[in-house]
Amino acid sequence: MAAAAECDVVMAETEPELLDDEEAKREAESFKEQGNAYYAKKDYNEAYNYYTKAIDMCPKNASYYGNRAATLMMLGKFREALGDAQQSVRLDDSFVRGHLREGKCHLSLGNAMAARRSFQRALELDHKNAQAQQEFKNANAVIEYEKIAETDFEKRDFRKVVFCMDRALEYAPACHRFKIIKAECLAMLGRHPEAQSVASDILRMDSTNADALYVRGLCLYYEDCIEKAVQFFVQALRMAPDHEKACVACRNAKALKAKKEDGNKAFKEGNYKLAYELYTEALGIDPNNIKTNAKLYCNRGTVNSKLRKLDDAIEDCTNAVKLDDTYIKAYLRRAQCYMDTEQYEEAVRDYEKVYQTEKTKEHKQLLKNAQLELKKSKRKDYYKILGVDKNASEDEIKKAYRKRALMHHPDRHSGASAEVQKEEEKKFKEVGEAFTILSDPKKKTRYDSGQDLDEEGMNMGDFDANNIFKAFFGGPGGFSFEASGPGNFFFQFG
């Protein structure tokens, strides 16, 4: 009885198991074939389902894992595919396709060294395998691009880093690390929309990616949206407390914001010296923040203009537009400083730039004013010739003429060299011109408004400076120059 019972037990446990195993293999093969059919039709989701059923029936079949890995790769799920490919070669180390798929997953995810080892193993098993040979070269190419990019990043040659990462991503399309490096360099190059797009794509797949959060913050920071940038840096540090770049950027952003606001406050309070110092300190915080620094230079330029340090103001505004050549406010500030220092050609150039960018009535008028002053500056400056201010009274103009006319009268220099006599005669004539215009209200008005004096028949080459002199001093006999010794003269009035 005991023996019979033991036999029954053995029969009950063994025979059905053998039948189930064979049946499971047949069913697994059927699932695999169906999976292959869907794979051929590019219906990868259904193919995945049937390969999964095959694996469930026979979990120790390497090819099933290999097929499912291939399907996941077609779906762009390289990390999940890597797990299946690795399982396939664990089950069968001679499975060449498994090694190829493992290598391809490693490469797509950016782990070129691991990929190269997988392709090397595939070549050991089949040294003539063309795919393994090519993929091995691809892995080496990615390793080389990484090395070049690392060197160029240290040199701050961000354009070259972007180029290297683009080439590497052709082989490693699922590598977040390469994408982050590219995005960071795009941000450093001022190509913020592109950098934002790359970082956002990563965050859609992984909302906790600290590197992507850092890049999003970096773009906002470089666009002078400092408050929003800090929020992203803080979020990145929550995800990765030891994220060094996010930590530095967050610290710089907070310091820059505080220093700039303090400078603005000092300026509004009229404390221009303190404002200058604060803006200068802010400029030293982060030389990479081009947009914010452009504003700081312009702000400091405004301070310098208030302090009447116009050359320094011009230099600050020039630095601002070097950093941001679209910064209208800096062009306007510099143009005004050029006007104040009578550098009218430069002022016209800046106002033209502004008006081309923003065609407003205000900008048009500023340009016209600068053009008028430029036109006026190219004429003789009769005020300078007489040595009077533009607001000089009639009496001041007469006194100035009297002084200058007597100073440059040819008779006073009759004993000088021919060269000196010629120069003094020229100055005497100019003094007469100046007095003719500025002593006549109508002519003076036309001159001050920049109108051409010749339009009313006032040809300044036709008048006689001596006649003006005689008329002013009362005609012939009114006075004369007489020598009192070599080179000395005195006036004798009649």
Side-chain angles (χ1 to χ4, degrees):
M1 286 292 293
E6 187 176 344
C7 184
D8 288 341
V9 170
V10 171
M11 288 297 292
E13 290 180 357
T14 305
E15 286 187 8
E17 183 179 348
L18 290 172
L19 290 171
D20 288 344
D21 189 49
E22 288 299 321
E23 188 177 342
K25 286 180 181 179
R26 286 194 298 272
E27 194 167 352
E29 279 297 304
S30 175
F31 287 142
K32 186 193 81 170
E33 293 302 323
Q34 291 179 76
N36 289 347
Y38 281 113
Y39 188 94
K41 294 177 185 178
K42 299 184 180 180
D43 187 344
Y44 302 117
N45 286 312
E46 279 302 304
Y48 173 85
N49 291 334
Y50 279 98
Y51 290 141
T52 299
K53 291 178 180 180
I55 289 171
D56 290 342
M57 298 303 296
C58 289
K60 293 186 179 180
N61 187 306
S63 68
Y64 297 166
Y65 286 100
N67 285 5
R68 192 169 72 173
T71 303
L72 286 165
M73 290 167 68
M74 297 306 294
L75 290 169
K77 298 179 179 181
F78 293 99
R79 201 163 297 282
E80 294 93 324
L82 177 61
D84 276 352
Q86 288 174 326
Q87 179 62 10
S88 74
V89 296
R90 275 196 292 267
L91 292 169
D92 181 2
D93 185 54
S94 65
F95 185 28
V96 174
R97 286 186 180 179
H99 287 293
L100 285 172
R101 286 165 186 161
E102 181 185 2
K104 190 68 175 175
C105 289
H106 278 309
L107 187 58
S108 296
L109 291 166
N111 191 345
M113 294 295 288
R116 190 165 65 175
R117 288 193 293 270
S118 294
F119 297 136
Q120 181 65 48
R121 178 58 182 150
L123 287 170
E124 289 171 3
L125 295 168
D126 180 4
H127 69 278
K128 293 183 179 180
N129 190 296
Q131 183 184 355
Q133 292 171 351
Q134 183 58 53
E135 295 291 4
F136 187 80
K137 290 179 182 178
N138 293 345
N140 283 331
V142 171
I143 291 169
E144 188 62 25
Y145 283 130
E146 283 189 82
K147 288 180 182 177
I148 295 171
E150 184 178 357
T151 300
D152 288 327
F153 192 95
E154 290 178 2
K155 294 178 181 177
R156 301 184 66 78
D157 188 349
F158 300 121
R159 284 184 177 81
K160 196 168 180 182
V161 177
V162 170
F163 173 82
C164 287
M165 289 300 96
D166 278 337
R167 300 291 80 75
L169 283 164
E170 290 174 4
Y171 304 113
C175 181
H176 286 180
R177 182 165 54 86
F178 292 168
K179 291 178 181 178
I180 288 295
I181 293 171
K182 175 184 174 180
E184 184 177 1
C185 289
L186 288 171
M188 300 297 279
L189 290 168
R191 294 160 64 179
H192 303 135
E194 294 172 74
Q196 288 272 29
S197 178
V198 174
S200 295
D201 286 344
I202 293 173
L203 288 170
R204 274 192 287 272
M205 293 180 279
D206 178 9
S207 62
T208 64
N209 189 300
D211 291 325
L213 289 167
Y214 159 71
V215 170
R216 283 290 305 276
L218 196 65
C219 291
L220 290 165
Y221 173 61
Y222 286 154
E223 288 172 346
D224 198 40
C225 300
I226 296 179
E227 200 165 332
K228 289 184 179 178
V230 169
Q231 293 174 6
F232 276 95
F233 294 144
V234 169
Q235 195 175 350
L237 289 168
R238 285 200 196 103
M239 299 300 108
D242 58 346
H243 198 294
E244 186 177 347
K245 287 184 177 180
C247 184
V248 171
C250 190
R251 184 170 61 247
N252 285 344
K254 288 179 178 179
L256 200 53
K257 180 174 181 289
K259 198 68 73 174
K260 183 182 175 185
E261 288 176 350
D262 288 345
N264 293 346
K265 182 182 177 185
F267 180 83
K268 288 176 182 176
E269 292 174 351
N271 192 342
Y272 301 130
K273 184 179 179 182
L274 177 60
Y276 177 90
E277 292 173 357
L278 290 166
Y279 289 141
T280 302
E281 289 172 13
L283 281 164
I285 291 173
D286 185 1
N288 295 320
N289 195 325
I290 290 172
K291 205 153 192 174
T292 301
N293 287 343
K295 291 183 178 181
L296 288 168
Y297 271 120
C298 187
N299 287 0
R300 196 173 73 173
T302 303
V303 170
N304 275 323
S305 69
K306 291 288 185 182
L307 295 170
R308 304 311 295 166
K309 296 180 178 180
L310 297 179
D311 289 339
D312 290 342
I314 289 170
E315 184 180 354
D316 277 339
C317 292
T318 299
N319 286 329
V321 297
K322 280 180 181 177
L323 293 176
D324 182 1
D325 63 1
T326 66
Y327 193 13
I328 296 299
K329 188 175 179 181
Y331 284 109
L332 288 170
R333 172 59 57 195
R334 186 172 69 175
Q336 184 58 57
C337 291
Y338 280 140
M339 292 290 285
D340 292 341
T341 53
E342 299 183 2
Q343 298 180 67
Y344 300 120
E345 288 187 6
E346 290 82 354
V348 167
R349 186 180 62 237
D350 277 356
Y351 283 131
E352 283 177 339
K353 171 79 173 178
V354 170
Y355 185 63
Q356 287 169 5
T357 307
E358 294 182 359
K359 289 182 166 57
T360 66
K361 288 183 179 179
E362 181 187 358
H363 294 159
K364 185 177 183 180
Q365 188 58 50
L366 288 169
L367 175 58
K368 286 180 68 177
N369 292 344
Q371 289 171 333
L372 176 60
E373 292 301 322
L374 175 60
K375 179 181 177 182
K376 288 162 67 175
S377 72
K378 292 183 181 297
R379 309 171 308 174
K380 290 180 181 178
D381 189 335
Y382 292 137
Y383 291 102
K384 281 187 177 179
I385 289 171
L386 287 184
V388 296
D389 186 80
K390 291 183 180 181
N391 298 315
S393 67
E394 186 177 343
D395 284 343
E396 287 173 330
I397 289 171
K398 286 181 179 180
K399 286 179 181 178
Y401 173 70
R402 177 186 295 275
K403 178 181 178 182
R404 295 297 173 102
L406 294 173
M407 183 186 303
H408 299 297
H409 194 285
D411 288 351
R412 185 173 187 178
H413 303 280
S414 59
S417 66
E419 185 179 348
V420 171
Q421 287 185 42
K422 186 176 180 180
E423 181 63 25
E424 291 299 326
E425 186 177 351
K426 177 185 174 184
K427 290 179 179 179
F428 178 68
K429 182 178 179 180
E430 287 178 342
V431 167
E433 282 184 38
F435 180 69
T436 299
I437 300 304
L438 300 183
S439 64
D440 185 315
K442 186 177 179 181
K443 293 176 182 178
K444 183 176 184 296
T445 300
R446 289 182 62 80
Y447 175 78
D448 288 343
S449 65
Q451 298 180 58
D452 291 326
L453 299 175
D454 290 343
E455 289 178 6
E456 287 194 353
M458 292 180 282
N459 188 337
M460 303 314 297
D462 295 338
F463 81 101
D464 189 331
N466 285 310
N467 289 337
I468 297 170
F469 184 86
K470 290 173 183 177
F472 183 87
F473 285 101
F479 78 93
S480 66
F481 289 94
E482 291 186 4
S484 61
N488 298 314
F489 297 87
F490 66 92
F491 303 129
Q492 179 177 334
F493 291 90

